[in-house]
Amino acid sequence: NPESLQKSMDNRSPETIEKIQALLAEGQAKIRRDKPTKLQLRLKDAIESIGLLPIHEYCLKTSFYVDFAFLAEKLIVQADGCYWHGHSCKFKNLTERQIKQIRRDRACDTYAIVCGWTIIRLWECDINKHIDNCLAQITSTLARLREPAPTI
């Protein structure tokens, strides 16, 4: 749950944040692709078809690139390939590379949350088979993030 993780990270020391950044560096900074993947293009086309215009391949605080970012709402949307990110729809036993990628994904998510972002990770199988559900998740999260903060 991103909200509970954000609350748990609010009081982290600069040293802890440096450790998170070191975890990111372990996998080295994500290299920006020359071209988007087919999965990213499919999701981008679907998002744009409902009138939303995210930034593609946004660099978050020079630490790593995210697939899509909605800057005003501080929302990140990641399109995760089932093979590369080790989704259970295909894999019972993960490879060492997949385990490393999962650790890196968690470190990236933690860093983004510490920086005040909300993250949605969408699996390739869901993007390919249930794109409407993926779009509903994005639009409902954007609506929630756009709500004015309650006054006390």
Side-chain angles (χ1 to χ4, degrees):
N1 179 332
E3 287 88 16
S4 64
L5 183 54
Q6 172 65 50
K7 288 177 185 171
S8 72
M9 295 301 292
D10 282 344
N11 296 321
R12 300 292 173 157
S13 68
E15 293 81 17
T16 301
I17 293 172
E18 283 178 26
K19 286 180 187 176
I20 293 168
Q21 289 174 322
L23 286 171
L24 292 171
E26 175 186 285
Q28 298 182 356
K30 178 179 175 185
I31 298 169
R32 186 176 183 161
R33 297 178 187 274
D34 290 334
K35 297 188 300 186
T37 65
K38 289 179 185 177
L39 181 63
Q40 290 171 341
L41 284 175
R42 177 166 165 72
L43 183 57
K44 181 178 185 287
D45 289 346
I47 292 170
E48 290 178 353
S49 76
I50 61 170
L52 299 174
L53 298 172
I55 295 174
H56 182 251
E57 290 284 335
Y58 178 72
C59 187
L60 183 63
K61 304 248 184 185
T62 70
S63 294
F64 61 95
Y65 286 92
V66 299
D67 294 335
F68 302 98
F70 293 88
L71 298 183
E73 297 84 0
K74 293 188 85 171
L75 174 65
I76 292 169
V77 178
Q78 298 282 60
D80 289 345
C82 293
Y83 173 78
W84 297 108
H85 296 265
H87 190 235
S88 62
C89 75
K90 290 188 177 186
F91 301 97
K92 301 279 186 250
N93 299 313
L94 300 176
T95 66
E96 189 60 40
R97 191 223 165 272
Q98 290 165 327
I99 292 168
K100 185 176 179 180
Q101 183 61 46
I102 290 167
R103 283 191 201 122
R104 187 172 186 286
D105 288 345
R106 287 181 183 155
C108 290
D109 289 355
T110 301
Y111 181 75
I113 290 166
V114 167
C115 293
W117 289 79
T118 299
I119 299 103
I120 296 175
R121 286 192 172 272
L122 301 172
W123 287 109
E124 175 182 15
C125 56
D126 292 326
I127 293 168
N128 289 333
K129 294 177 184 172
H130 309 288
I131 193 68
D132 290 339
N133 293 345
C134 296
L135 294 174
Q137 186 178 358
I138 293 167
T139 56
S140 65
T141 302
L142 285 168
R144 181 178 51 81
L145 293 171
R146 291 173 178 157
E147 290 176 359
T151 56
I152 299 176

